[in-house]
Amino acid sequence: MPQYKVAIVGAGPAGYFAAQALQNLQTDDLSFAIDMIERLPTPWGLVRSGVAPDHPKIKTVSKVFEKVATAEGFSLYGNVELGTDISIDVLKAKYDAVVIATGSATGKKLGIAGEDLPGSISAAQFVPWYNGHPDFADFNPELNCETAVVIGAGNVAMDVARILALEPAELDETDTALHAIDALRKSNIRKVVISARRGPEHAAFTSPELRDLPKLEHTNVVMNPADIAAALERAGDEPEKEVRNNLEAMRLISELEQGKHARTMEFQFLHTPTEFRGNGKVEEVVFTTSAGEEKVIKCGLVITAIGYEADPISGIPYEKGKVLNSDGRVSENVYVVGWAKRGPSGVIGTNKSDAADVMNLLVADLNEPKPLTELTSLITTNKVISQSHWQSINAAEIAAGEPHGKPRIKAVSREELLRLGGL
Ligand code: NAP
């Protein structure tokens, strides 16, 4: 029976769903040996370092990933970096197909004056910081101020604003990085303004996330009823279902009783940021309103959450923040899935059908299988995290969390992760 070797680069949702699709395509006459390469010592990508820790249900998809990872023919190679520990050319030569699933890790920039002032950061830094990503362990966001502004009207902006605005005790039973819980406890931020350049009818929030906001027990969530009424009018009689659901969820928020709590999360719409100002650090954000007026918000922290870009990979064509591709085909025996393919859109489940479509093309393109090569012999590091090493890390983190009522306590440094893995 012909067995094809496929290398998947990136152990996030897109990578696992690609592996799952290949496993599902196996027949009596076709099988795959799948090597998944991941630069961190831990797999699961955004499920570990992106999904908000107070939304644990979303993380249950990791069970699916573990099922894929423990199926026959699958091997994890964690702590192995493409371009450093192995080159794309070697992968292309030794594997029948290479699947790039490296996501989009860099925050888009507004391109306005003052954006590089201290106190101006991206959600692409803040989110992995509170989620215990090893590369952001020492990232110290400015929390010693009364007001923070979050720019963007998507679910990432909402996650970021909520984490800043909730009572930190609400994170005690989550897997938020301990360093972040500690810093958020000491935070002086009491008001978070989440700012959209367009109206509520154009916001990229999704309605389940909006409907969760009134459940915050210690935070006033403020939307101006006049903003929502005007948006309903602009949306007309037959808005699309998503818009209708969003506006309904927003209307309920706008009717909430206000002023009960010390912490506030306030939405503003139709404000375009034009400049961040301050003397050596951010002190205010300047907006132009839809009426052409200037509005200034004094704040010490501003977080942009306006989308992400993929980082270019040497040897892989790249354009406009994505891997250049045609329906997921990149070049001979190279494919791309997930955010690196289509840009940072969709929920985790979106990657399932997307990856399945690309894997169908991959299978249709297969030629004679190449001779087997052991990946370990091609890698320059000997500190490789296998599935069983990862299972040791996973078990140790879960055990550490148990006495504290947490799903896990994440190890943050690479050294500690390798130690827990037994390396
Ligand atoms: P997003 O949904 O694309 O939202 C980006 C937001 O940034 C939009 O409101 C956009 O406004 C705004 N924006 C873009 N450029 C801007 C600029 N120059 N100035 C001001 N605002 C600007 O992206 P995201 O929030 O990063 O989320 C990425 C994906 O992950 C989305 O599909 C999201 O649903 C998903 N996600 C899901 C969950 C969940 O299910 N709980 C959580 C997090 C993320 P315009 O529309 O005006 O361009």
Side-chain angles (χ1 to χ4, degrees):
M1 167 171 80
Q3 187 181 54
Y4 290 90
K5 286 207 77 170
V6 178
I8 297 178
V9 185
Y16 278 104
F17 283 128
Q20 185 190 48
L22 289 174
Q23 289 172 349
N24 290 343
L25 286 164
Q26 295 185 118
T27 64
D28 289 345
D29 301 321
L30 175 70
S31 76
F32 294 101
I34 300 168
D35 289 345
M36 180 175 272
I37 297 163
E38 163 60 48
R39 105 188 156 81
L40 291 179
T42 53
W44 302 356
L46 281 184
V47 169
R48 181 172 168 102
S49 60
V51 171
D54 59 337
H55 281 169
K57 259 198 217 151
I58 300 179
K59 299 189 193 216
T60 54
V61 69
S62 58
K63 291 204 179 95
V64 175
F65 302 163
E66 288 305 284
K67 198 167 169 216
V68 169
T70 46
E72 209 187 319
F74 181 101
S75 304
L76 177 68
Y77 291 83
N79 201 38
V80 174
E81 185 161 27
L82 181 66
T84 307
D85 301 313
I86 190 152
S87 75
I88 186 74
D89 288 340
V90 169
L91 291 182
K92 281 183 346 193
K94 301 290 185 186
Y95 283 83
D96 296 297
V98 179
V99 180
I100 304 292
T102 45
S104 323
T106 301
K108 279 191 189 149
K109 296 200 97 178
L110 286 164
I112 62 175
E115 203 173 357
D116 295 327
L117 282 169
S120 160
I121 61 173
S122 166
Q125 300 164 299
F126 187 66
V127 172
W129 169 73
Y130 64 63
N131 276 323
H133 187 300
D135 292 354
F136 297 87
D138 298 326
F139 181 74
N140 284 318
E142 171 59 58
L143 302 175
N144 187 20
C145 53
E146 177 81 12
T147 303
V149 172
V150 179
I151 311 271
N155 285 335
V156 171
M158 201 191 315
D159 282 348
V160 162
R162 200 179 60 252
I163 294 291
L164 280 173
L166 50 65
E167 160 60 49
E170 290 180 74
L171 295 175
D172 282 348
E173 290 182 5
T174 71
D175 64 0
T176 310
L178 294 184
H179 61 240
I181 296 191
D182 192 39
L184 290 163
R185 266 208 195 96
K186 295 177 187 144
S187 163
N188 290 323
I189 293 173
R190 292 295 174 271
K191 180 172 177 181
V192 181
V193 179
I194 176 165
S195 184
R197 63 177 169 180
R198 299 197 285 161
E201 71 280 23
H202 293 123
F205 310 128
T206 50
S207 55
E209 279 62 37
L210 285 165
R211 280 198 298 269
D212 267 352
L213 288 180
K215 296 178 194 155
L216 289 176
E217 288 180 22
H218 304 280
T219 308
N220 306 308
V221 183
V222 181
M223 272 192 200
N224 183 347
D227 285 347
I228 310 307
L232 279 163
E233 201 155 302
R234 285 193 298 269
D237 289 339
E238 288 182 24
E240 283 176 25
K241 190 170 154 227
E242 287 78 21
V243 175
R244 198 175 61 235
N245 289 344
N246 264 8
L247 290 178
E248 176 56 17
M250 291 193 215
R251 189 183 62 75
L252 294 175
I253 292 172
S254 74
E255 291 170 358
L256 291 171
E257 188 192 338
Q258 295 308 334
K260 290 184 291 188
H261 308 295
R263 297 166 187 270
T264 296
M265 175 174 173
E266 182 178 321
F267 288 76
Q268 77 173 12
F269 294 97
L270 297 164
H271 281 65
T272 302
T274 52
E275 189 182 354
F276 301 166
R277 286 188 203 140
N279 193 0
K281 60 182 171 60
V282 168
E283 287 167 349
E284 54 189 39
V285 178
V286 185
F287 297 93
T288 303
T289 69
S290 50
E293 286 160 4
E294 186 180 285
K295 175 172 170 185
V296 174
I297 297 183
K298 295 208 174 302
C299 66
L301 173 68
V302 54
I303 304 185
T304 42
I306 59 167
Y308 294 81
E309 290 177 336
D311 294 324
I313 298 171
S314 171
I316 297 286
Y318 175 88
E319 192 178 73
K320 294 186 183 150
K322 295 185 266 189
V323 170
L324 188 62
N325 71 92
S326 168
D327 296 330
R329 285 187 172 110
V330 178
S331 58
E332 195 197 338
N333 84 341
V334 181
Y335 301 82
V336 62
V337 291
W339 281 10
K341 169 191 173 229
R342 59 174 202 281
S345 66
V347 293
I348 288 165
T350 311
N351 293 299
K352 187 169 176 166
S353 54
D354 186 68
D357 289 346
V358 180
M359 293 308 99
N360 280 328
L361 296 181
L362 181 156
V363 169
D365 293 346
L366 287 171
N367 297 312
E368 283 301 299
K370 290 180 181 167
L372 279 183
T373 318
E374 183 55 44
L375 179 59
T376 315
S377 66
L378 308 172
I379 305 176
T380 55
T381 172
N382 55 6
K383 300 244 174 195
V384 177
I385 293 281
S386 67
Q387 178 64 18
S388 82
H389 294 130
W390 158 240
Q391 284 168 344
S392 300
I393 298 173
N394 197 20
E397 288 189 339
I398 292 169
E402 220 214 314
H404 305 278
K406 294 173 185 280
R408 70 176 64 235
I409 292 180
K410 285 179 187 166
V412 176
S413 75
R414 282 188 158 76
E415 295 70 33
E416 177 64 358
L417 286 162
L418 293 178
R419 194 188 65 75
L420 293 179
L423 290 177

